[in-house]
Amino acid sequence: MTNDDRATVWHNPRCSKSRGALALLAEQGVQTDIVRYLDEAPSRGELEDVLRRLGTDDPRAITRTGEARYRELGLAGADRDALLDALAANPILIERPIVLVGDRAVVARPPQRLLELLGG
């Protein structure tokens, strides 16, 4: 990672893992842009972009399947399109934190996973 690279963090300030990821980025001296995704829900296109950067096509990679809303919406058997629509409409279902650097991303749970992006 060069000094010109910035990290974008899909952040929930109430989440300890999300706060831990921000602290770790600060310790590493990484400039960070914070996206409070619960306040401004990502579009379906942005979700697709994150999946591409994660190297997966499966929205469950970024879905909080333990959330009550997941059960309320009956998403256990949902297909890819239904899941993406649900994530865009209900950002509480999006796993956090998601850290994006360049054309790569990681779900930073635990926060140390983001070191995969910083190391190259």
Side-chain angles (χ1 to χ4, degrees), residues 9-28 30 32 34-38 64 95-99 107-112 114:
V9 180
W10 288 16
H11 176 61
N12 176 352
R14 297 182 62 196
C15 173
S16 63
K17 301 282 191 268
S18 195
R19 292 190 309 269
L22 288 180
L24 188 54
L25 287 165
E27 286 172 16
Q28 298 289 318
V30 177
T32 306
I34 296 172
V35 174
R36 294 181 71 156
Y37 69 94
L38 292 175
R64 296 178 55 80
E95 191 60 86
R96 76 256 178 170
I98 296 174
V99 180
V107 177
R109 294 183 75 81
Q112 293 74 17
L114 68 85

Side-chain angles (χ1 to χ4, degrees), residues 52-54 101-105:
R52 181 189 57 76
R53 292 184 196 201
L54 286 168
V101 176
D103 64 351
R104 297 174 56 217

Side-chain angles (χ1 to χ4, degrees), residues 53-76:
R53 292 184 196 201
L54 286 168
T56 185
D57 195 43
D58 185 1
R60 282 192 170 74
I62 60 170
T63 303
R64 296 178 55 80
T65 59
E67 271 301 319
R69 188 79 179 125
Y70 182 84
R71 289 185 300 282
E72 290 166 10
L73 294 171
L75 296 173

